[in-house]
Amino acid sequence: MKYIWVVLGFLMTANFARADEGMWLFNQPPREILRERYQFDATDEWLEHLQKASVRFNSGGSGSFISEDGLLISNHHVGADALQKLSTHEKNYVRDGFHAHSLAEEVKCLDLELNVLQSIEDVTARVNAAIPKDADASKAFLARRKIIAEIEKESLDKTGLRSDVITLWQGGAYHLYRYKRYTDVRLVFAPQQQIAFYGGDPDNFEFPRFDLDICIFRAYENGKPARVSNYLKVSRSGPRDGDLVFVSGNPGHTSRLLTVAELKNVRDQRLPMTLEVLYRREVLLGTWSERGEENARRAREMLFGVQNSRKANIGRLAGLLDPELMGTKEKGEEDFRAQFAAKKETDAVFPPALEAYDRIADATKILSGQVVPYALLEGGLAFNCDSFRIARTLLRAGEERPKPNGERLREFVDSSKASLELALFSEKPIYTDLEILTLSDSLTYLATKMGAEDPLVKKILAGKSPRERAVELIHDTKVRDVPFRKELYNGGWNAVVAAHDPMIELAQLVDPEARALRKVAEEQDEVKQEAHAAIARARNVLLGTSGYPDATFTLRLAFGTVKGYEEDKKWIAPFTTLAGLYQRAKEMNNRPPFDLPEIWVKRKSRVDLKTPFNFVSTPDIIGGNSGSPVVNRAGEFVGIIFDGNLQSLPWDYVYSDKQGRSISVDSAAIVEALDRVYDAREIAAEMASGRRKQASD
Amino acid sequence: MKYIWVVLGFLMTANFARADEGMWLFNQPPREILRERYQFDATDEWLEHLQKASVRFNSGGSGSFISEDGLLISNHHVGADALQKLSTHEKNYVRDGFHAHSLAEEVKCLDLELNVLQSIEDVTARVNAAIPKDADASKAFLARRKIIAEIEKESLDKTGLRSDVITLWQGGAYHLYRYKRYTDVRLVFAPQQQIAFYGGDPDNFEFPRFDLDICIFRAYENGKPARVSNYLKVSRSGPRDGDLVFVSGNPGHTSRLLTVAELKNVRDQRLPMTLEVLYRREVLLGTWSERGEENARRAREMLFGVQNSRKANIGRLAGLLDPELMGTKEKGEEDFRAQFAAKKETDAVFPPALEAYDRIADATKILSGQVVPYALLEGGLAFNCDSFRIARTLLRAGEERPKPNGERLREFVDSSKASLELALFSEKPIYTDLEILTLSDSLTYLATKMGAEDPLVKKILAGKSPRERAVELIHDTKVRDVPFRKELYNGGWNAVVAAHDPMIELAQLVDPEARALRKVAEEQDEVKQEAHAAIARARNVLLGTSGYPDATFTLRLAFGTVKGYEEDKKWIAPFTTLAGLYQRAKEMNNRPPFDLPEIWVKRKSRVDLKTPFNFVSTPDIIGGNSGSPVVNRAGEFVGIIFDGNLQSLPWDYVYSDKQGRSISVDSAAIVEALDRVYDAREIAAEMASGRRKQASD
């Protein structure tokens, strides 16, 4: 099999043959590589155990069970969304942290959904068989949407499990993922954000690093701690330099299989526009936060998200503007096409694959022509506030739900109903002043992007300035009232229309144009999917079906070793220690964000300063992997992923372990902090034994 | 004359008749209005004294003499450019302030040029006579450039004074301004930035306000304090509520006479692009500053400038997106055109004025089509660093200086030579790391705006990533070395080319395209100037020649009264006090930027807390007026302009004193602070007596 990897490596990435590349499907694990390179046998049991101990946070992260009583761990910055929703002016969970000393003290999170993957089934043949021969893109899209909704509904009815058909290889394959859902999730422990995100934005994506980026929850069922048979045993000592480690988590999105035409569009249009919006929001939220502490508290998580994306996207753009990276991509594609061309007489699979590149380029061009209005109107950039998002969901639910399941917009199919309702009826706080701030800014952005004279813009602004219009809309809408939402959702279309809610009416005003843009986007995505599938088929004839698809926020297995790297001719050691934390605070004069929480200053003499704190390793991860467990050969939890370094940011397009590294909190530091800093001995004990001590409640 | 103002008010702005509108020319002062509305007689002596006591900071602000020994006062944020250039890691003038206890301790500023207006001469007839009949825009532009350079050179040779021909009324008139230049300017006193800019960006453009935004210098001639016959007497008590006050300063730029087509272009294209760049730079410099205190120190002034512009431009855009403001503009223009149309048979001046609107709209469209490449290549947005600006100046000086004076690019004419050389040979510090930061970012911006595949972009990046290219250019150029600059400047074109300096070669690579864009811009500006002049002529026939032109960073007189205003149904009193400062710090928990310098805490018991600190008044000002003296009827200095409130930001397009106000530091607070907080008694004494006490040196 070695040859395949060499060829594939040459075609896809620079160092695939030797590098620890890959976000592997759990049903197509890299057994050969692990055996040959690491003499490791990934048995079915080992894989199943890890799969079922892994948890997906529907809000956008990963985690894992660490006790049979449903205890689970993720990152602070994954849990922060839940912490923020629980926080008030009086009780700031994000800033101050939290520690439940008993089950009774554990706090139920709002609208948090966890998913645990139970099974994967390949449904590619069934999906493709449902597309009529010679259907145009529009018909093919509708047929594909219908069959996917049908498969999902059938599975949900049969198993009661959340059932999602996942599009892999950009349309080369379709797999049905079934998940157990947990919606009663309670907060057990969170450190202060100051130590969880020590070094703040300046140190984000950097290494060496000193972050206790953890948050501990417990899954409940029927009001009691969930009993889980698959959980990870927490290692007291963490990993060692050179150890083989695995990461099991949900990488959100990569673009490694995009064609050069698509990548250039990402480089020249998508990323610049994304960054334009992020810069704008960062300044908006940053200046608002500076005007008072309560402002800062309310905007905290939003601002963190913006800053985090800004830094990540700058790194991605830098990658795509690096002629070496783009050159590799161009060379790879040329070679691929040359091979297809050389064999086009020998197999009918090659000619369509050759044409596919042009079809993708054409679709990309059409999509690029409507990127701006799409992002504004369908993407909602023009109406950036929770009130609008809720209003649109109510409006569209009223229209979509009476339709047959297979003909609805994707987000309203039966199999997504439970998750949709969980989010829609959330009691999370929505702040009027913050809504006005973000809505006036985004209406201003709309007016400048589409022009203040645009007829739709004029209708949206209704003869008012963006600020005036935002004030009026936010004050007059009732969608922030949850019973009102339920009334309209249950009352259906007639109730929605009869309410004459101004925000819903705004959504309605925009909807014809938004839906038209979406229709074009869906059709062109269908064109691209079919073209990518043609390329995938040709590649499979050439190379076999091995390899891994781009990330899709579904469970993947990555592997690699704990390993330092060279930067500016200096060796960066793979581990930091707790001593390094105190050292860094001193060097930076304890100036925020390099100051320490009081308790860390007070307890310094108690902790073992030699404890390893953060470490880097080579497994292939990306955003969405945050909170993923890092496990050793024995399947023990030795750390938790929370970041990649700056050099890992171009991994979106090409993996390289020359300098790119994932960054984790060492399990040794987690136990040490719980035990010696936070006096959270009962949690440390539950981690050590894998079960809750019953007496303590 | 009353009628004229009513009509003009209706046509130009909403409340011109009763409002204290106007940035008046010193040679066309609003004598009638002052007499009728305020029973004030603006005599020639009164005006000449104020004119000659007023100082322009060439770096972009205003100020005034306050002693016969050349003592002068401006804002801290005007002086900050000079403070920053003097500062090092060891001595931070911006943060820590400065106090010279004797002449010997006064510190010479780098490349700071002050201008004092000596005379104004109307040269409109001579300029227009030099334009051949029926010349096209290109020929007309060249002829106009030639005659202007000729007038300036002749005046410089005759008087030795800096001589600038100023284009007024968008081309309706040309006046020759003659200035005395001071280039030996020494720092006498600066407070800490913390109190000068108390409340920082959050409180910028807000009121109530508590800023000691002052900086005191002394002008020298022949190594000795300059003897000046016109200086302002500083009032110990400041103004009172309702007092008539005047502002004499240099408003930088307004757009009140722009046509609706031009305003819409500003709204839909220029301001959005400016803001896009500002948001980007704010994040770039902000995040860099957070990485360390020395970074923060180096980027401080640049970051302040960016934040200040961002807030101002958001306010301007909000003004233009307000349908009421734009509606007034549209109505005004329609009425004007209707009147022109009604009279087109009676006077030959009206038909060209009517056509002028379309010519302006056409020119605006052509200019708008090249705004992006113009800003990037000729405006230098793509190469944002001092090294590039110096390199281009050296390159162009080599090309331009051998040409006849009248045929050179504007900035290389003989009358500007002294100022150009002062700036070019400045020893101000340039930081390699900051240069790399801003250059890589702006090269990235270039690649995203013009596309990474653009042939010129490819040549500029030379096969490297923006970051790599920036590192190489900044490290390899020698232009940061002042003797090298002098050698190339004096050596002329051959020396410039022979140097093979990579940054100069970059400037050379870009220059053909940059000059081509500039040529189009100059021609279209000529078209617009001629069209605006036609409108001005028609307006003069209709209304007489009274009124004031848009701001041009030349000396203007504004007037108004000290007066509070209503905001959100609350009355905002016109004065704050020192007591209010301490109160604000307490309310904001002394959290930066609301913390007080130590000395202000320590000296609290010494100061009279009832002292008025900042006040608002109605005179018509705009950016560039910073540091302008506020004087009373007696011509005494009663305060210093340092800001306008948020509601004044749309003054760029329309003045309104409904809520818009200028903000000043009260002279009483200045004297109190110097005397009781800073123990700067000798400065306070010099202000009080109008002369320096000789014994103290």
Side-chain angles (χ1 to χ4, degrees):
Chain A
M1 290 283 281
K2 192 95 200 297
Y3 174 65
I4 284 167
W5 299 117
V6 176
V7 174
L8 198 60
F10 176 66
L11 293 171
M12 278 180 51
T13 68
N15 304 301
F16 197 74
R18 278 140 301 136
D20 296 330
E21 173 168 352
M23 300 168 171
W24 302 86
L25 297 171
F26 265 78
N27 54 343
Q28 294 175 25
R31 283 204 170 95
E32 297 284 331
I33 304 179
L34 291 172
R35 209 164 4 231
E36 289 191 11
R37 205 178 299 163
Y38 293 106
Q39 297 76 51
F40 179 77
D41 187 17
T43 64
D44 286 346
E45 294 91 324
W46 188 93
L47 285 164
E48 190 190 342
H49 177 68
L50 183 55
Q51 171 191 317
K52 292 187 174 167
S54 301
V55 173
R56 181 172 75 173
F57 277 65
N58 227 351
S59 54
S62 302
S64 57
F65 284 119
I66 48 171
S67 95
E68 66 178 33
D69 293 302
L71 197 71
L72 64 108
I73 188 166
S74 180
N75 290 147
H76 185 273
H77 77 269
V78 171
D81 178 62
L83 299 175
Q84 177 85 14
K85 286 175 180 165
L86 290 175
S87 294
T88 61
H89 180 52
E90 289 70 35
K91 173 85 191 117
N92 190 335
Y93 288 85
V94 179
R95 184 190 59 199
D96 304 330
F98 178 74
H99 177 190
H101 295 81
S102 66
L103 286 188
E105 285 182 22
E106 295 179 3
V107 186
K108 188 165 190 254
C109 300
L110 297 171
D111 69 64
L112 177 56
E113 176 177 330
L114 305 182
N115 299 141
V116 180
L117 180 62
Q118 302 300 309
S119 68
I120 306 177
E121 189 184 322
D122 189 337
V123 294
T124 312
R126 185 167 164 200
V127 170
N128 288 336
I131 317 299
K133 277 242 176 282
D134 302 323
D136 64 10
S138 173
K139 286 218 182 72
F141 167 75
L142 294 174
R144 201 180 301 276
R145 181 170 76 175
K146 187 155 175 273
I147 182 69
I148 286 174
E150 193 178 304
I151 295 171
E152 289 174 346
K153 176 80 162 59
E154 189 184 290
S155 166
L156 173 67
D157 290 347
K158 202 173 81 186
T159 63
L161 295 171
R162 172 175 176 144
S163 301
D164 300 343
V165 171
I166 310 297
T167 304
L168 299 169
W169 301 98
Q170 267 82 350
Y174 298 86
H175 291 184
L176 172 63
Y177 278 55
R178 291 197 184 91
Y179 298 99
K180 185 166 171 53
R181 292 170 75 230
Y182 291 94
T183 55
D184 182 354
V185 184
R186 305 195 190 172
L187 180 63
V188 176
F189 175 85
Q192 303 87 345
Q193 187 173 45
Q194 208 177 339
I195 186 71
F197 191 41
Y198 183 80
D201 180 64
D203 267 8
N204 201 10
F205 297 109
E206 307 274 346
F207 195 80
R209 196 70 166 282
F210 311 90
D211 287 6
L212 186 70
D213 195 351
I214 63 162
C215 196
I216 300 175
F217 298 91
R218 190 185 305 279
Y220 278 68
E221 278 187 305
N222 308 316
K224 295 214 165 77
R227 293 285 297 179
V228 298
S229 18
N230 296 287
Y231 66 89
L232 303 176
K233 197 173 147 10
V234 176
S235 157
R236 181 70 179 91
S237 58
R240 278 163 207 275
D241 194 355
D243 272 5
L244 169 66
V245 287
F246 300 89
V247 174
S248 168
N250 302 274
H253 184 264
T254 53
S255 305
R256 295 184 190 168
L257 292 175
L258 295 193
T259 66
V260 170
E262 287 174 296
L263 283 176
K264 287 186 176 173
N265 179 250
V266 171
R267 177 192 68 189
D268 292 343
Q269 189 185 36
R270 306 241 167 194
L271 283 177
M273 181 166 175
T274 302
L275 277 166
E276 185 189 328
V277 171
L278 290 170
Y279 286 132
R280 178 181 188 99
R281 286 200 188 157
E282 182 161 353
V283 171
L284 181 78
L285 296 171
T287 53
W288 196 69
S289 297
E290 275 183 6
R291 293 189 64 77
E293 286 175 42
E294 177 60 6
N295 282 7
R297 185 190 72 73
R298 292 177 178 193
R300 187 71 206 93
E301 277 324 291
M302 226 189 278
L303 181 55
F304 164 74
V306 167
Q307 293 181 318
N308 193 55
S309 298
R310 179 254 303 152
K311 216 163 170 177
N313 282 304
I314 286 178
R316 284 182 199 126
L317 181 58
L320 290 183
L321 283 172
D322 178 353
E324 200 182 312
L325 189 157
M326 194 56 94
T328 307
K329 287 285 184 184
E330 280 171 329
K331 179 89 175 61
E333 188 168 304
E334 265 169 39
D335 291 341
F336 234 145
R337 292 171 81 158
Q339 292 201 48
F340 290 172
K343 304 203 170 194
K344 69 180 176 205
E345 315 293 338
T346 61
D347 192 323
V349 86
F350 292 112
L354 269 171
E355 274 166 42
Y357 289 98
D358 292 336
R359 276 185 287 140
I360 291 170
D362 292 344
T364 302
K365 207 166 163 193
I366 294 170
L367 288 167
S368 126
Q370 66 164 38
V371 155
V372 174
Y374 183 92
L376 289 165
L377 302 177
E378 175 62 19
L381 270 191
F383 318 101
N384 180 27
C385 62
D386 284 325
S387 301
F388 180 82
R389 286 182 280 270
I390 295 165
R392 169 179 279 179
T393 303
L394 290 172
L395 174 79
R396 290 189 170 172
E399 285 184 276
E400 294 294 312
R401 288 170 64 220
K403 295 182 186 171
N405 187 38
E407 291 169 25
R408 297 180 204 154
L409 292 177
R410 187 89 186 92
E411 59 273 30
F412 294 100
V413 297
D414 285 336
S415 55
S416 305
K417 189 163 173 270
S419 306
L420 178 96
E421 291 173 4
L422 184 72
L424 182 60
F425 302 139
S426 169
E427 291 280 1
K428 73 162 186 163
I430 301 176
Y431 302 105
T432 313
D433 50 357
L434 188 51
E435 293 274 284
I436 291 174
L437 181 85
T438 56
L439 181 58
S440 0
D441 179 69
S442 52
L443 287 173
T444 301
Y445 187 64
L446 168 73
T448 59
K449 287 313 256 192
M450 295 184 50
E453 308 284 312
D454 179 273
L456 183 58
V457 172
K458 283 188 147 179
K459 277 188 212 155
I460 290 167
L461 291 176
K464 306 202 171 58
S465 72
R467 167 93 196 168
E468 270 183 294
R469 182 70 172 135
V471 168
E472 168 188 274
L473 283 165
I474 295 296
H475 279 148
D476 295 350
T477 184
K478 293 199 198 92
V479 299
R480 289 191 301 284
D481 178 48
V482 176
F484 177 77
R485 282 180 227 167
K486 288 190 175 154
E487 194 189 310
L488 264 51
Y489 183 79
N490 295 325
W493 178 247
N494 291 336
V496 169
V497 172
H500 289 296
D501 186 275
M503 192 65 87
I504 296 177
E505 289 179 339
L506 174 67
Q508 205 174 350
L509 167 69
V510 174
D511 225 35
E513 181 67 17
R515 280 177 178 264
L517 290 160
R518 179 161 169 170
K519 185 162 179 285
V520 173
E522 284 170 342
E523 283 167 14
Q524 296 306 315
D525 282 341
E526 173 67 28
V527 170
K528 294 214 289 182
Q529 262 186 49
E530 286 178 7
H532 273 291
I535 295 174
R537 279 191 295 273
R539 187 185 46 213
N540 289 350
V541 169
L542 222 58
L543 310 170
T545 54
S546 300
Y548 68 95
D550 263 325
T552 45
F553 196 45
T554 50
L555 197 66
R556 302 292 181 91
L557 181 69
F559 63 89
T561 53
V562 175
K563 196 157 117 186
Y565 57 103
E566 198 180 282
E567 187 177 68
D568 296 338
K569 320 214 160 163
K570 225 180 73 188
W571 182 252
I572 310 291
F575 288 94
T576 62
T577 62
L578 291 179
L581 167 71
Y582 290 102
Q583 181 60 28
R584 178 103 175 120
K586 204 180 141 193
E587 277 168 14
M588 301 302 277
N589 296 322
N590 288 292
R591 200 170 47 93
F594 299 99
D595 53 335
L596 288 165
E598 224 180 282
I599 188 122
W600 280 81
V601 176
K602 226 164 69 186
R603 298 281 160 85
K604 183 178 175 187
S605 60
R606 269 209 210 168
V607 304
D608 179 355
L609 294 173
K610 295 187 306 295
T611 310
F613 194 178
N614 291 173
F615 66 87
V616 287
S617 57
T618 61
D620 188 358
I621 61 155
I622 207 92
N625 266 117
S626 285
S628 302
V630 182
V631 303
N632 59 17
R633 288 170 184 254
E636 290 170 333
F637 176 100
V638 294
I640 185 165
I641 292 286
F642 73 96
D643 209 354
N645 64 0
L646 285 173
Q647 294 91 334
S648 77
L649 291 171
W651 284 3
D652 229 316
Y653 313 107
V654 180
Y655 173 89
S656 157
D657 63 5
K658 196 175 153 205
Q659 295 186 299
R661 291 290 182 277
S662 60
I663 311 179
S664 307
V665 188
D666 196 299
S667 61
I670 297 173
V671 177
E672 183 76 6
L674 288 171
D675 205 12
R676 310 270 181 98
V677 179
Y678 292 104
D679 286 333
R681 299 217 174 78
E682 74 294 354
I683 305 174
E686 186 172 346
M687 284 182 178
S689 65
R691 67 175 59 89
R692 201 169 61 82
K693 212 175 138 201
Q694 299 287 341
S696 73
D697 290 299
Chain B
M1 290 282 281
K2 193 90 202 294
Y3 173 65
I4 286 166
W5 299 116
V6 176
V7 174
L8 199 61
F10 175 65
L11 293 170
M12 277 181 51
T13 69
N15 304 298
F16 195 74
R18 279 140 300 137
D20 295 331
E21 173 168 353
M23 301 168 170
W24 301 86
L25 297 171
F26 266 78
N27 54 344
Q28 295 174 25
R31 284 205 170 93
E32 297 285 332
I33 304 179
L34 291 171
R35 208 161 9 230
E36 290 191 12
R37 204 177 301 163
Y38 293 106
Q39 296 75 52
F40 179 79
D41 186 18
T43 63
D44 286 347
E45 294 92 324
W46 188 92
L47 285 165
E48 189 190 343
H49 176 68
L50 183 56
Q51 171 191 316
K52 291 187 175 166
S54 301
V55 173
R56 182 173 75 173
F57 277 65
N58 228 351
S59 52
S62 302
S64 57
F65 284 119
I66 47 172
S67 96
E68 65 177 35
D69 292 302
L71 197 71
L72 65 106
I73 187 165
S74 181
N75 290 146
H76 185 273
H77 77 268
V78 171
D81 178 63
L83 298 176
Q84 177 84 17
K85 285 174 181 165
L86 291 175
S87 293
T88 60
H89 180 52
E90 289 70 33
K91 174 85 189 116
N92 190 336
Y93 287 84
V94 179
R95 183 189 61 199
D96 303 331
F98 177 75
H99 176 190
H101 295 82
S102 66
L103 286 189
E105 285 182 23
E106 295 179 2
V107 186
K108 188 165 189 249
C109 300
L110 297 171
D111 70 64
L112 178 55
E113 175 176 329
L114 305 182
N115 299 139
V116 179
L117 180 62
Q118 301 300 309
S119 69
I120 306 178
E121 190 183 324
D122 188 337
V123 293
T124 311
R126 185 168 165 197
V127 170
N128 288 336
I131 317 299
K133 279 241 176 279
D134 304 322
D136 64 9
S138 172
K139 285 217 181 72
F141 166 75
L142 294 174
R144 200 179 301 276
R145 180 170 77 176
K146 187 155 177 271
I147 182 68
I148 286 175
E150 193 178 307
I151 295 170
E152 289 175 345
K153 176 80 161 57
E154 190 183 291
S155 167
L156 172 67
D157 289 348
K158 200 173 82 187
T159 64
L161 295 172
R162 172 174 175 146
S163 300
D164 301 342
V165 171
I166 310 297
T167 304
L168 299 169
W169 301 98
Q170 267 82 350
Y174 297 86
H175 290 183
L176 172 62
Y177 278 55
R178 292 197 184 92
Y179 297 99
K180 186 167 170 55
R181 294 170 73 230
Y182 292 94
T183 54
D184 182 354
V185 184
R186 306 197 189 170
L187 179 63
V188 177
F189 174 85
Q192 303 87 347
Q193 186 172 46
Q194 209 177 338
I195 187 70
F197 191 41
Y198 182 80
D201 179 66
D203 267 8
N204 201 9
F205 296 109
E206 308 275 345
F207 195 79
R209 197 71 166 281
F210 311 90
D211 287 5
L212 186 70
D213 195 351
I214 61 163
C215 196
I216 301 175
F217 298 90
R218 191 185 303 281
Y220 279 67
E221 279 187 304
N222 308 316
K224 296 217 165 74
R227 292 286 295 180
V228 297
S229 17
N230 296 286
Y231 65 89
L232 304 176
K233 198 174 144 12
V234 176
S235 157
R236 180 69 179 91
S237 58
R240 276 164 209 275
D241 194 355
D243 272 6
L244 168 66
V245 288
F246 300 88
V247 173
S248 168
N250 302 274
H253 183 264
T254 53
S255 306
R256 294 185 190 167
L257 293 175
L258 294 193
T259 65
V260 171
E262 286 174 297
L263 282 176
K264 287 187 175 172
N265 178 250
V266 171
R267 177 193 66 190
D268 292 342
Q269 188 186 35
R270 306 241 167 193
L271 282 178
M273 181 168 175
T274 302
L275 276 165
E276 184 189 328
V277 171
L278 290 170
Y279 286 131
R280 180 183 186 97
R281 286 201 188 157
E282 183 161 351
V283 171
L284 181 78
L285 296 172
T287 53
W288 195 69
S289 297
E290 275 183 5
R291 294 190 63 78
E293 286 176 41
E294 178 62 5
N295 282 7
R297 184 189 74 72
R298 292 177 178 194
R300 186 71 204 95
E301 278 323 292
M302 226 190 276
L303 181 55
F304 163 75
V306 167
Q307 292 180 319
N308 193 55
S309 298
R310 179 254 304 153
K311 216 162 170 177
N313 281 305
I314 286 177
R316 284 182 198 126
L317 182 59
L320 290 182
L321 284 171
D322 178 353
E324 201 181 314
L325 188 157
M326 194 56 96
T328 307
K329 287 286 184 184
E330 280 171 330
K331 180 86 174 62
E333 188 168 303
E334 264 168 40
D335 290 342
F336 234 144
R337 292 172 81 159
Q339 291 202 50
F340 290 173
K343 304 203 172 195
K344 68 179 176 208
E345 314 293 338
T346 60
D347 193 324
V349 85
F350 292 112
L354 268 171
E355 274 166 41
Y357 289 99
D358 292 336
R359 275 184 289 139
I360 291 171
D362 292 344
T364 302
K365 207 168 161 190
I366 293 171
L367 287 168
S368 124
Q370 66 164 38
V371 155
V372 175
Y374 182 92
L376 288 167
L377 302 177
E378 175 62 17
L381 270 191
F383 318 101
N384 180 27
C385 62
D386 283 325
S387 301
F388 179 82
R389 286 182 279 269
I390 295 166
R392 171 179 277 180
T393 304
L394 290 172
L395 174 78
R396 290 189 170 173
E399 285 184 275
E400 295 294 312
R401 289 169 68 219
K403 295 182 187 172
N405 188 37
E407 291 171 24
R408 297 180 203 155
L409 293 176
R410 187 89 186 93
E411 58 272 30
F412 294 100
V413 296
D414 285 337
S415 55
S416 305
K417 187 162 174 269
S419 304
L420 178 96
E421 290 174 4
L422 184 71
L424 181 61
F425 302 138
S426 169
E427 291 279 1
K428 73 161 186 164
I430 301 176
Y431 303 106
T432 313
D433 51 356
L434 188 51
E435 293 272 285
I436 290 173
L437 180 85
T438 57
L439 181 58
S440 357
D441 180 68
S442 53
L443 287 174
T444 301
Y445 188 64
L446 167 74
T448 59
K449 288 312 257 190
M450 296 185 48
E453 308 285 310
D454 177 273
L456 183 58
V457 172
K458 284 188 146 178
K459 275 188 213 156
I460 290 167
L461 291 176
K464 305 201 172 57
S465 72
R467 166 95 195 166
E468 269 184 296
R469 181 72 172 133
V471 168
E472 166 188 275
L473 282 165
I474 295 296
H475 278 151
D476 294 351
T477 183
K478 292 198 198 97
V479 299
R480 287 191 302 284
D481 178 50
V482 177
F484 177 76
R485 282 180 228 169
K486 288 192 175 154
E487 192 188 310
L488 263 52
Y489 183 79
N490 295 326
W493 177 248
N494 291 337
V496 169
V497 172
H500 289 297
D501 186 275
M503 193 65 89
I504 296 177
E505 287 179 340
L506 174 67
Q508 205 174 351
L509 167 69
V510 174
D511 225 36
E513 181 66 17
R515 281 177 177 263
L517 291 159
R518 179 161 170 169
K519 186 161 178 288
V520 173
E522 284 170 341
E523 282 167 13
Q524 296 306 315
D525 281 339
E526 174 68 26
V527 170
K528 294 214 289 181
Q529 260 186 50
E530 286 179 7
H532 272 290
I535 295 174
R537 279 190 295 273
R539 187 184 45 213
N540 289 350
V541 170
L542 221 56
L543 310 169
T545 53
S546 301
Y548 67 94
D550 264 324
T552 45
F553 196 45
T554 50
L555 198 67
R556 301 295 180 88
L557 180 70
F559 64 89
T561 53
V562 176
K563 197 159 117 187
Y565 58 102
E566 199 181 282
E567 188 178 66
D568 296 339
K569 321 217 157 160
K570 226 181 72 189
W571 182 253
I572 310 291
F575 288 93
T576 62
T577 62
L578 290 180
L581 167 71
Y582 290 101
Q583 182 58 30
R584 179 102 174 119
K586 205 178 138 194
E587 277 167 15
M588 299 303 277
N589 296 322
N590 288 291
R591 200 170 47 93
F594 299 99
D595 52 335
L596 288 165
E598 223 179 284
I599 188 124
W600 280 80
V601 177
K602 225 163 71 185
R603 300 278 160 85
K604 183 179 175 187
S605 59
R606 270 209 212 170
V607 303
D608 179 356
L609 294 172
K610 295 188 304 296
T611 310
F613 194 179
N614 290 173
F615 66 86
V616 287
S617 58
T618 61
D620 188 358
I621 60 154
I622 207 94
N625 267 117
S626 285
S628 301
V630 182
V631 304
N632 59 17
R633 289 171 185 253
E636 289 170 336
F637 177 100
V638 293
I640 185 165
I641 293 285
F642 72 96
D643 209 354
N645 64 1
L646 285 173
Q647 294 92 336
S648 77
L649 291 172
W651 284 4
D652 230 316
Y653 313 107
V654 181
Y655 173 88
S656 157
D657 63 5
K658 197 176 151 203
Q659 294 187 300
R661 291 291 180 277
S662 61
I663 311 179
S664 306
V665 188
D666 196 299
S667 62
I670 297 173
V671 177
E672 184 75 7
L674 288 171
D675 205 13
R676 309 269 181 98
V677 179
Y678 292 104
D679 286 333
R681 302 220 171 76
E682 74 294 354
I683 305 174
E686 184 171 348
M687 284 182 178
S689 65
R691 68 175 59 90
R692 201 169 61 81
K693 212 174 137 200
Q694 300 286 341
S696 73
D697 292 297

